[in-house]
Amino acid sequence: MKKAPGEEPNEALTVTPPKKWAAGVPAVAHALEYSLEETSVRRTGETLLTMNQVGGIDCPGCAWADPSPGDRHRNEYCENGAKHINDEATSRRIGADFFREHTVSELGRRSDKWLNQQGRLTEPMVKRPGSDSYEPISWHDAFDLLASELTSLDSPDEAVFYTSGRASNEAAFVLQLFARALGTNNLPDCSNMCHESSGFALHETLGTGKGTVSLDDLHHADLIFVVGQNPGTNHPRQLSALEEAKRNGARIIAVNPLPEAGLLRFKNPQKPSGVIGKGTQIADRFLHIRNGGDLALFQGINRLLLEAEDSRPGEVLARDFIESDTKGFEEFAAHARTIEWNDILAATGLGREEIEQVRDEVMGSQRVIVCWAMGITQHKHAVPTIREIVNFLLLRGNVGRAGTGACPVRGHSNVQGDRTMGIWEQMPDDFLDSLQEEFGFDPPRAHGLDSVNTIRAMREGRIKFFIALAGNFVRAAPDSEVTEEAMRTCRLTAHISTKLNRSHTVCGETALILPTLGRTEVDIQADGEQFVTVENSMSEVHTTQGRLKPASPLLLSEISILCRLARRTLDGTADIPWEEFEADYGAIRDHISHIVPGLHDFNRRVTRPGGIQLPNAVNEGVYHNDVGKALFTANDFAMLQAPEGHLLLQTLRSHDQWNTVPYTSNDRYRGIHGSRRVVLVNPEDVAALGLSAGQHVDLVSVWRDDPDRRAEDFRVVPYPTTRGCAAAYYPETNVLVPLDSVADKSNQPTSKAIVVRLEPVASPASVSTG
Ligand SMILES: Nc1nc2c(c(=O)[nH]1)N[C@H]1C(S)=C(S)[C@@H](COP(=O)(O)OP(=O)(O)OC[C@H]3O[C@@H](n4cnc5c(=O)[nH]c(N)nc54)[C@H](O)[C@@H]3O)O[C@H]1N2
Ligand SMILES: Nc1nc2c(c(=O)[nH]1)N[C@H]1C(S)=C(S)[C@@H](COP(=O)(O)OP(=O)(O)OC[C@H]3O[C@@H](n4cnc5c(=O)[nH]c(N)nc54)[C@H](O)[C@@H]3O)O[C@H]1N2
Ligand SMILES: [Mo]
């Protein structure tokens, strides 16, 4: 059977029943097992004990907030945080010898897991035109090469600067400053594929791109929705917050096509009771929804609330708040009453009584929060879905008060901060005006390219230069084959990276690997030891400072790389003190403090325990959107329907990966072991499609008139997902996501809704169950 390049072969697949609880002793033991395999015991201890402590390392995992300094546990990290940090702190190294032994085309046939396991990158490497190998290059020559490409472009808009959300605030600020001083807004980032839909909908309705809740709000809410997210795997410390909320009397409603372990029960490994007891039941109510049914769900709840107000006028809706703080209520309400129950039930797959019970819980609650992540944002109608969630919150005044609000749960540890620092292809004019005033150059005003439009522009031959600050662009992006072909049209591609990944093997004519310090490592510059800062999902900005000896003496920090490149390229054309920035990151923060509202006096305030809480105007009753009020919206009903014989496929994360980087082939909570090439299908659909457990199938995605897209050789696993829906892991399935299948308005790839058929292929092996 032909294998797609870079895919891990199927090992012996074993399927066990999905777990009914998350975390607890096995989780900690599992993390330590991984740590000991990758690094020495001493390095593990050093990194873990300072993780998420004041003055220590911010976990490079998710963006969940830390408890206030006095309330932190000595081990304020989760199993997965421990894995991520140790993945970076590994003692394995790759340098010139490795690249002499492995050509680029050979590396291109290796799996994501294998590439990552080779260890830390240690020296700058170049692949020259016509060559199939990376060879060493000095930093000096690497910067010359990059600068000469950049200065020979016909237009700065032929260059693209990608950022992944692990980059610090300071590195992100320097990157966008460099791009804009050069003359382009081409600043795509991972957020374009992550929470772009949230940003768009929240800007429009509440006048902020960010969430409005703090940890304290969560602890004091009395009803919390967890919609389209899998916190047991992706935000394990959120479970501690939910546990605390429950102790304070909150009820929790989980909405998901999969009964995820962390949503059901949680054993807190940091509490003795969690180690021995049965743990806390997290979700009081589980809504087993069809993929993409959330818009209809919230439309249904909203309609019921409006009708309840009809029969008990003045008792259900927050009339005063609606009057004083919002606009558009009448149009919204008139429209909401037209949504048909038959449609709502078909789209959600839920019963009407289930939705009525939710209405009753909402009416019995004074403080409601809605949390959401990729299960909401990666859909064609993601923006209307989030607008409808905002309608829901506004109806009973559940924004701007303690214990209430909108909580888009961010992914990468600093994805939100990168946006605050100006990583956005369409930064508003007031930010650009401030840059102009501060640095005396005229930033470009035309919007640049986001991630999807970058690939489109490459395909049209409009991009010559691509540089990435962290990340794995070709694997994170949709339509892998299309994206890879597009990337190869560039004259030069360069990656500032800690570890090897597939993006290094998909090269422009010339390609550079620029190895950099990770978050765990000491960063010493001309003016002494430096720290950097990050912003979490709750808009708290704080420091992070590594302790470990750098993986190689040849590594430069991200900021050094960017400042040296900017200096070489711009050659004094803008009045920006790149040298000073490199020597003392405090100088970067001084400038940021003049540009970003809320970060005044940045250097002094950020080192205080707990850091800086950025203000959120919504909580002051101020809405910075076009209408100056919280906006109710009327959203057209939409539902996803796969044609007869097809399923709606969502692509998601296993318990043992960091985005594009699988650590092992296991997904412990879901009971999948030994292979990632599995497709989870409802047992009734397995039967209806004439398939059987363990059968080998190709996943074939059908999109408009396009030729079929195919991901080869997956195994069918009967699994309690909703009827008509299926799930398989990212990034192996990105090949199936059509580039043009994007969310309306936000242009975010629809990675949670791909129409597929399962085509049986011949194969001898069968699945064992145990
Ligand atoms: N360990 C670990 N932690 C991570 C990451 C990682 O890779 N590994 N990645 C980080 C990043 S960048 C991000 S963005 C976050 C992602 O965090 P999540 O959003 O939790 O990540 P996914 O695995 O994509 O899971 C999506 C969840 O939404 C559900 N879902 C899918 N479609 C729908 C739908 O239509 N409706 C509803 N209601 N639910 C749906 C899925 O069943 C699944 O539970 O995690 C961050 N944290
Ligand atoms: N089909 C499908 N596609 C998706 C998603 C999905 O759910 N389904 N999710 C989307 C989402 S939410 C996201 S956020 C994107 C993720 O997209 P990216 O952020 O681009 O991808 P990552 O896998 O997080 O990047 C991992 C690489 O980052 C580098 N790295 C790690 N730490 C550091 C560091 O400290 N500095 C530097 N310079 N480099 C570092 C390493 O080289 C590593 O190989 O993928 C998106 N793509
Ligand atoms: Mo993300």
Side-chain angles (χ1 to χ4, degrees):
M1 163 113 282
K2 186 163 79 64
K3 265 269 139 56
E7 298 302 5
E8 194 74 16
N10 275 338
E11 297 153 29
L13 169 67
T14 320
V15 180
T16 54
K19 288 273 180 295
K20 293 212 163 48
W21 47 265
V25 172
V28 175
H30 189 76
L32 288 179
E33 211 174 276
Y34 189 83
S35 312
L36 297 180
E37 199 179 283
E38 283 289 313
T39 65
S40 72
V41 181
R42 183 183 56 77
R43 288 168 71 84
T44 300
E46 261 177 70
T47 48
L48 290 182
L49 285 178
T50 69
M51 186 130 100
N52 298 328
Q53 302 297 340
V54 174
I57 307 168
D58 178 63
C59 177
C62 74
W64 193 253
D66 304 318
S68 36
D71 297 336
R72 283 182 207 170
H73 195 276
R74 189 170 137 77
N75 296 315
E76 190 61 46
Y77 57 86
C78 71
E79 172 199 5
N80 277 343
K83 286 192 234 165
H84 307 321
I85 215 152
N86 283 288
D87 188 63
E88 177 179 302
T90 174
S91 40
R92 294 184 197 136
R93 301 284 178 269
I94 50 180
D97 291 348
F98 172 88
F99 288 102
R100 211 172 299 120
E101 283 161 28
H102 303 278
T103 61
V104 177
S105 23
E106 188 222 312
L107 294 174
R109 289 189 294 272
R110 297 290 189 167
S111 72
D112 300 298
K113 187 170 95 184
W114 187 91
L115 292 171
N116 177 62
Q117 279 173 346
Q118 301 317 300
R120 287 287 300 277
L121 295 160
T122 54
E123 55 184 313
M125 305 294 299
V126 63
K127 185 207 82 73
R128 305 207 181 262
S131 164
D132 189 28
S133 289
Y134 276 104
E135 57 191 85
I137 183 173
S138 68
W139 279 109
H140 180 274
D141 291 352
F143 292 129
D144 269 355
L145 195 56
L146 289 158
S148 76
E149 276 297 337
L150 279 170
T151 48
S152 65
L153 296 175
D154 289 336
S155 147
D157 288 331
E158 290 179 340
V160 164
F161 297 78
Y162 174 72
T163 308
S164 158
R166 202 177 274 190
S168 65
N169 286 331
E170 291 77 1
F173 183 82
V174 167
L175 179 78
Q176 63 81 35
L177 187 61
F178 172 37
R180 293 190 164 112
L182 186 75
T184 184
N185 280 316
N186 287 347
L187 290 157
D189 67 349
C190 67
S191 191
N192 299 146
M193 302 178 263
C194 186
H195 266 293
E196 202 60 60
S197 305
S198 307
F200 191 95
L202 292 175
H203 261 295
E204 190 184 19
T205 54
L206 296 178
T208 173
K210 302 178 181 180
T212 69
V213 308
S214 64
L215 262 191
D216 206 48
D217 287 323
L218 270 166
H219 293 163
H220 295 100
D222 51 17
L223 183 63
I224 302 171
F225 286 76
V226 180
V227 193
Q229 53 157 156
N230 178 21
T233 285
N234 296 315
H235 303 92
R237 291 187 310 135
Q238 183 179 359
L239 296 182
S240 306
L242 295 176
E243 189 189 34
E244 166 131 14
K246 293 210 67 159
R247 214 171 320 112
N248 294 334
R251 290 178 60 79
I252 291 170
I253 300 182
V255 187
N256 205 300
L258 301 177
E260 306 281 28
L263 298 175
L264 303 178
R265 197 172 278 283
F266 170 52
K267 296 191 191 181
N268 191 336
Q270 296 172 353
K271 293 218 180 77
S273 62
V275 176
I276 37 179
K278 286 179 70 184
T280 310
Q281 182 191 338
I282 292 288
D284 299 280
R285 187 178 293 284
F286 175 58
L287 299 179
H288 200 198
I289 199 164
R290 290 187 67 239
N291 285 11
D294 309 85
L295 171 60
L297 171 66
F298 281 96
Q299 287 182 318
I301 302 172
N302 289 344
R303 181 171 177 169
L304 290 171
L305 289 172
L306 290 167
E307 288 167 358
E309 173 79 5
D310 294 343
S311 42
R312 290 159 54 187
E315 288 180 37
V316 178
L317 303 187
R319 283 283 169 194
D320 292 348
F321 171 80
I322 292 174
E323 187 64 33
S324 63
D325 275 58
T326 74
K327 248 190 128 118
F329 173 76
E330 295 304 335
E331 298 87 316
F332 150 76
H335 174 76
R337 292 171 193 278
T338 67
I339 313 279
E340 302 279 350
W341 272 105
N342 285 345
D343 288 338
I344 292 171
L345 302 185
T348 58
L350 301 171
R352 181 160 170 172
E353 340 55 73
E354 280 181 280
I355 304 177
E356 286 170 351
Q357 284 159 2
V358 174
R359 170 205 56 199
D360 294 345
E361 294 218 34
V362 172
M363 284 170 51
S365 306
Q366 298 311 309
R367 295 176 302 280
V368 181
I369 287 175
V370 183
C371 303
W372 72 87
M374 299 303 99
I376 293 297
T377 62
Q378 297 178 334
H379 279 295
K380 178 159 181 6
H381 53 275
V383 170
T385 304
I386 298 159
R387 287 159 141 205
E388 201 61 38
I389 290 174
V390 172
N391 288 339
F392 165 71
L393 291 169
L394 295 178
L395 277 177
R396 288 177 49 84
N398 280 312
V399 289
R401 286 187 294 120
T404 69
C407 184
V409 180
R410 302 281 160 175
H412 266 294
S413 52
N414 197 41
V415 62
Q416 185 163 318
D418 290 346
R419 214 22 99 76
T420 307
M421 293 299 126
I423 300 292
W424 195 21
E425 77 285 351
Q426 40 181 302
M427 268 326 260
D429 277 336
D430 49 358
F431 181 90
L432 300 176
D433 292 343
S434 303
L435 277 188
Q436 185 163 13
E437 205 168 300
E438 186 75 11
F439 296 106
F441 73 94
D442 201 0
R445 301 283 166 159
H447 289 177
L449 299 170
D450 64 9
S451 291
V452 164
N453 286 336
T454 290
I455 300 161
R456 290 177 175 151
M458 283 175 173
R459 204 161 48 163
E460 291 160 11
R462 291 192 278 125
I463 304 301
K464 304 277 186 318
F465 182 101
F466 174 91
I467 188 167
L469 174 58
N472 185 4
F473 184 75
V474 303
R475 267 326 239 171
D479 229 347
S480 314
E481 285 176 18
V482 169
T483 296
E484 293 192 3
E485 201 180 308
M487 185 61 73
R488 293 187 210 276
T489 65
C490 293
R491 242 180 12 218
L492 186 146
T493 51
H495 291 88
I496 302 173
S497 309
T498 49
K499 298 193 79 179
L500 191 61
N501 63 45
R502 184 156 178 88
S503 293
H504 305 118
T505 73
V506 178
C507 303
E509 225 171 275
T510 301
L512 284 155
I513 297 176
L514 308 169
T516 191
L517 291 177
R519 207 177 267 187
T520 53
E521 290 161 327
V522 174
D523 183 354
I524 295 172
Q525 301 294 344
D527 283 9
E529 192 172 335
Q530 305 294 315
F531 65 83
V532 290
T533 62
V534 291
E535 175 184 341
N536 64 33
S537 208
M538 275 130 192
S539 307
E540 294 162 336
V541 181
H542 59 91
T543 65
T544 170
Q545 187 165 16
R547 300 260 182 260
L548 298 181
K549 187 171 154 227
S552 145
L554 285 174
L555 299 184
L556 292 181
S557 75
E558 292 170 346
I559 294 166
S560 295
I561 295 172
L562 293 168
C563 288
R564 291 185 196 187
L565 176 59
R567 199 148 57 97
R568 195 77 56 96
T569 308
L570 297 172
D571 200 18
T573 51
D575 184 21
I576 302 171
W578 303 110
E579 239 169 317
E580 199 188 321
F581 283 179
E582 185 185 350
D584 170 16
Y585 301 170
I588 307 174
R589 285 186 291 273
D590 278 339
H591 285 280
I592 294 172
S593 70
H594 305 150
I595 291 167
V596 177
L599 286 183
H600 55 278
D601 205 6
F602 193 0
N603 273 310
R604 190 183 60 80
R605 292 196 302 144
V606 80
T607 51
R608 295 187 307 202
I612 300 172
Q613 172 73 57
L614 284 176
N616 191 317
V618 173
N619 292 332
E620 317 299 322
V622 177
Y623 308 93
H624 292 299
N625 58 2
D626 289 347
V627 295
K629 297 258 180 186
L631 186 65
F632 277 100
T633 52
N635 301 300
D636 289 340
F637 171 83
M639 80 173 272
L640 302 173
Q641 185 85 62
E644 185 67 31
H646 293 69
L647 298 171
L648 281 174
L649 177 77
Q650 61 149 321
T651 60
L652 42 45
R653 293 154 176 79
S654 78
H655 191 63
D656 234 8
Q657 72 185 80
W658 176 260
N659 292 335
T660 64
V661 179
Y663 296 147
T664 72
S665 300
N666 305 331
D667 191 3
R668 199 170 81 249
Y669 291 162
R670 299 197 184 102
I672 311 287
H673 311 270
S675 174
R676 291 174 49 86
R677 295 184 82 80
V678 292
V679 56
L680 314 184
V681 183
N682 183 289
E684 291 176 40
D685 285 320
V686 174
L689 293 169
L691 302 169
S692 56
Q695 186 165 355
H696 290 248
V697 293
D698 283 355
L699 307 182
V700 183
S701 120
V702 287
W703 170 253
R704 299 189 177 158
D705 297 330
D706 282 9
D708 290 343
R709 291 171 171 80
R710 186 176 292 265
E712 289 174 335
D713 199 13
F714 280 65
R715 309 278 291 275
V716 175
V717 174
Y719 198 88
T721 181
T722 28
R723 280 298 305 268
C725 303
Y729 301 124
Y730 135 74
E732 288 85 345
T733 46
N734 285 40
V735 65
L736 300 172
V737 187
L739 183 64
D740 292 330
S741 178
V742 289
D744 297 334
K745 312 274 188 195
S746 66
N747 213 31
Q748 182 170 343
T750 61
S751 311
K752 293 291 186 276
I754 310 157
V755 174
V756 293
R757 62 171 190 272
L758 275 45
E759 268 186 21
V761 290
S763 185
S766 71
V767 67
S768 70
T769 46

